[in-house]
Amino acid sequence: MFKIIRKNTVVISWIIAVTFIVTIFISWGMNFSGKAMMPHMAIVNGKKITADEFQQAYQTKYNNLKDSYGKDFDPESIPDLKKQVLDSLVKENILLAEANRYGITVTEDEVVNGVRSSFSDINTYNQYIKFAPPLWWKKKEEDVKKEIMMAKMIGAMVDHATLTDGEIDSYYKREYEQAHLLHILISPKKLVPQTDIADYYEKNNEDFMKKGKLKVRHILIAVKENASPQEDGAAKAKITDLYSQVKGGADFAEIAKKNSNCPSAQNGGLLDYFGEGTMDPEFEKAAYKLKVEELSSPVRSKFGYHIIKLEDKLPDTPKLLEEVEEEIQGILLTSEITKNAAKKAKGIYKALKKGEITFEEAARMYSHGTISSKTAGDIGIIPKRFISKDIGTATVATWKEELGANDNEMDGKITSAAFNLKSGEMTTVIENHLGYHIIKMKGKIPADLTKFDTIKTDVITKSLMEKKSKTYQDWYNGLKKKAKAVITENAL
């Protein structure tokens, strides 16, 4: 299926190939130890999901999470990871069996495009084109084909869903109500002793350096991220030709003036000094790898293809303690400190329940929230779920620091508990990634009907997604029952 790609694959040494294959086997979790393993983990439609299949899937999931989170990845933060993996294998078996029953197929073009889009960027994709052996590509193709089949099957079941006006109205009133809350946050990180943080910073300040600003020249051949293969190929061919010219001794500035699609072309491609976080991530990553006067190979960014030449690099400078304090708190955080934070939160809750202290007093004395600690716990009015686009960035930042919201939504674990309260009631201790929370309801505010028309399209989209999700879940639960899916006792 991937003959076109493989024909263009650079021939690599058998040593690299073998190294890559060994890495894949390790990531797949092959059991070379000879240790006896459970014969199967589950049975679906009479078919066994073997322990080897589970181990491969688990190790792949584990490695993907580790790559995503980096050094911050803590497996204990996902205590049901093994159950998630086994559930996904059960679901895969059920959905693929149903897709085959319906005669759903996947074309070669769909697989090719699916494989390409599965990579985070074009540079990573090109690296795999160069070095990944056929065995790896075959597994990748199979996985992508399965994903597309399952997506088509689910789509066929839920895409017919429609909404009535009553359902839209009900969704808006339910999901867009607000509440005035009091809040206490006990953050484990905030219990890390300040003296330990300062001491760690002094001993390891070389680990907290701000990269010096760069001054570069570059040549850009512009092409859109979603360009057709023909357009992308033409841009890549052009930048490759220019790269050969510059490598061969042609003047970089003159080549930039004549060919670059960036406004900097008139200055020979010269850009002002820039620091971390100010440029396209791929461009910046490539630039910071260079030595002064060194030339990059062609780099793909969201703007197109670049050749970068480093003109100057300013010295790295140490970050201030306040800039890295939270990072150091995370480094020094121990399970013992986390247990103490949970114990502290439970103690405060008990004191509140007994009436030994008022909520406002407890918030002033104990809350680690940036706002609640200063306002006797009053964090104002918050949405139940969705954060409106007209909400100021400072307010959203507060909700992130206090409650664990993201840019678009509140933390569902927090708000579902809070919005179940009646006026004057208080939650038990709620745990999320920030720490331990106690919330008191001051009062609910109905959804603002005057705003409905301005966000009607968005409301319809979200409510339709919810209905499709419920339609899918009901359908899948029926399939699971029909498939007589059984998890082996003590499998996990």
Side-chain angles (χ1 to χ4, degrees):
M1 186 176 289
F2 261 75
K3 288 180 180 177
I4 297 174
I5 291 177
R6 291 171 184 153
K7 282 181 181 177
N8 293 316
T9 301
V10 177
V11 178
I12 59 175
S13 70
W14 67 271
I15 296 176
I16 295 176
V18 169
T19 302
F20 197 101
I21 292 169
V22 169
T23 302
I24 295 301
F25 272 117
I26 292 172
S27 70
W28 285 355
M30 295 301 234
N31 185 5
F32 294 108
S33 64
K35 184 180 178 181
M37 298 180 73
M38 190 172 292
H40 64 271
M41 307 294 285
I43 299 177
V44 181
N45 284 319
K47 178 185 175 184
K48 293 179 180 179
I49 295 176
T50 68
D52 278 345
E53 287 178 286
F54 170 77
Q55 185 61 26
Q56 290 173 19
Y58 175 79
Q59 196 64 49
T60 298
K61 180 71 173 178
Y62 180 93
N63 290 342
N64 289 341
L65 288 169
K66 191 174 181 180
D67 289 342
S68 298
Y69 287 96
K71 64 180 181 181
D72 295 327
F73 177 57
D74 177 12
E76 292 183 4
S77 65
I78 315 176
D80 60 345
L81 180 58
K82 289 185 176 181
K83 182 180 183 304
Q84 289 180 28
V85 171
L86 185 53
D87 286 345
S88 69
L89 284 173
V90 170
K91 185 176 292 186
E92 179 183 291
N93 274 267
I94 291 172
L95 293 179
L96 289 177
E98 194 70 0
N100 285 323
R101 191 171 75 84
Y102 272 83
I104 289 176
T105 59
V106 179
T107 67
E108 183 172 332
D109 284 346
E110 286 173 328
V111 175
V112 170
N113 291 330
V115 168
R116 283 176 177 162
S117 63
S118 70
F119 289 90
S120 58
D121 57 76
I122 192 68
N123 296 319
T124 303
Y125 174 69
N126 287 335
Q127 285 299 308
Y128 274 78
I129 286 290
K130 288 181 180 178
F131 299 119
L135 176 65
W136 188 90
W137 281 114
K138 183 179 179 181
K139 179 73 166 61
K140 183 72 172 176
E141 291 169 29
E142 290 171 352
D143 290 344
V144 169
K145 184 176 180 180
K146 288 178 183 178
E147 289 168 6
I148 296 172
M149 281 186 73
M150 290 188 288
K152 283 186 173 185
M153 185 68 251
I154 293 170
M157 291 298 109
V158 305
D159 285 348
H160 65 277
T162 58
L163 294 166
T164 65
D165 289 342
E167 286 174 321
I168 296 169
D169 182 65
S170 175
Y171 180 87
Y172 180 71
K173 289 177 179 177
R174 170 168 44 89
E175 296 297 337
Y176 285 80
E177 66 176 332
Q178 298 176 302
H180 190 173
L181 303 178
L182 298 181
H183 176 241
I184 295 170
L185 166 64
I186 302 302
S187 167
K189 286 184 178 181
K190 297 296 183 182
L191 297 184
V192 176
Q194 200 64 35
T195 51
D196 291 358
I197 295 170
D199 185 55
Y200 187 91
Y201 174 75
E202 287 299 322
K203 292 178 179 177
N204 301 277
N205 56 20
E206 71 278 1
D207 294 335
F208 305 106
M209 301 296 286
K210 190 180 295 182
K211 290 181 180 179
K213 291 187 175 182
L214 305 181
K215 188 175 187 179
V216 307
R217 291 185 188 273
H218 85 122
I219 299 167
L220 167 65
I221 301 302
V223 62
K224 295 178 181 178
E225 275 191 294
N226 59 350
S228 68
Q230 292 79 11
E231 291 172 323
D232 190 86
K236 189 174 182 180
K238 179 77 179 288
I239 201 75
T240 302
D241 177 58
L242 297 177
Y243 176 69
S244 297
Q245 292 182 45
V246 177
K247 264 299 219 187
D251 184 82
F252 192 100
E254 287 302 314
I255 294 291
K257 284 179 182 179
K258 294 176 182 178
N259 298 278
S260 182
N261 299 135
C262 178
S264 65
Q266 60 185 346
N267 298 321
L270 189 64
L271 299 175
D272 290 334
Y273 281 99
F274 64 87
E276 288 183 284
T278 56
M279 291 294 197
D280 176 273
E282 293 303 318
F283 181 95
E284 188 176 298
K285 184 166 65 175
Y288 268 105
K289 287 181 179 178
L290 299 175
K291 297 176 183 177
V292 175
E293 295 298 318
E294 191 176 4
L295 198 68
S296 78
S297 56
V299 177
R300 180 66 154 102
S301 78
K302 63 182 179 182
F303 302 107
Y305 287 95
H306 309 256
I307 305 169
I308 307 167
K309 182 183 179 184
L310 182 60
E311 295 286 325
D312 188 29
K313 181 180 185 294
L314 300 180
D316 295 348
T317 55
K319 294 178 181 177
L320 299 175
L321 176 57
E322 50 264 37
E323 293 180 281
V324 298
E325 184 170 348
E326 188 172 350
E327 182 181 351
I328 296 175
Q329 287 172 342
I331 294 170
L332 299 180
L333 184 64
T334 64
S335 58
E336 190 62 34
I337 293 174
T338 301
K339 288 177 184 176
N340 289 338
K343 186 177 179 181
K344 184 174 182 178
K346 290 174 183 176
I348 294 169
Y349 175 72
K350 287 180 181 178
L352 289 168
K353 288 288 285 183
K354 291 179 180 179
E356 296 172 353
I357 189 172
T358 68
F359 201 99
E360 290 80 0
E361 289 170 337
R364 275 194 296 264
M365 292 172 63
Y366 303 115
S367 183
H368 295 132
T370 53
I371 299 300
S372 57
S373 60
K374 301 171 185 175
T375 60
D378 194 336
I379 56 172
I381 296 170
I382 70 160
K384 181 178 182 180
R385 187 172 176 187
F386 303 111
I387 298 175
S388 173
K389 292 178 182 177
D390 60 1
I391 299 295
T393 54
T395 301
V396 177
T398 297
W399 293 341
K400 288 180 179 180
E401 294 170 2
E402 286 273 351
L403 303 168
N406 60 39
D407 289 330
N408 303 306
E409 288 191 35
M410 304 302 291
D411 184 315
K413 192 174 184 181
I414 297 292
T415 55
S416 62
F419 277 77
N420 277 327
L421 299 173
K422 295 177 182 177
S423 182
E425 290 183 339
M426 177 178 67
T427 66
T428 56
V429 176
I430 308 164
E431 181 184 358
N432 75 354
H433 65 281
L434 292 182
Y436 302 91
H437 307 256
I438 307 170
I439 297 170
K440 184 176 181 179
M441 173 67 73
K442 288 197 73 174
K444 290 183 184 177
I445 302 154
D448 187 349
L449 298 180
T450 64
K451 289 186 176 180
F452 176 75
D453 286 339
T454 60
I455 59 172
K456 184 176 180 179
T457 301
D458 194 40
V459 173
I460 292 173
T461 300
K462 288 183 169 75
S463 57
L464 184 59
M465 285 176 62
E466 182 182 78
K467 186 167 185 179
K468 285 184 176 182
S469 177
K470 186 178 185 308
T471 301
Y472 160 72
Q473 200 58 54
D474 291 344
W475 168 73
Y476 174 71
N477 288 339
L479 285 180
K480 189 175 181 181
K481 187 175 181 180
K482 184 179 176 182
K484 297 180 180 178
V486 178
I487 305 296
T488 303
E489 188 177 354
N490 300 322
L492 301 175

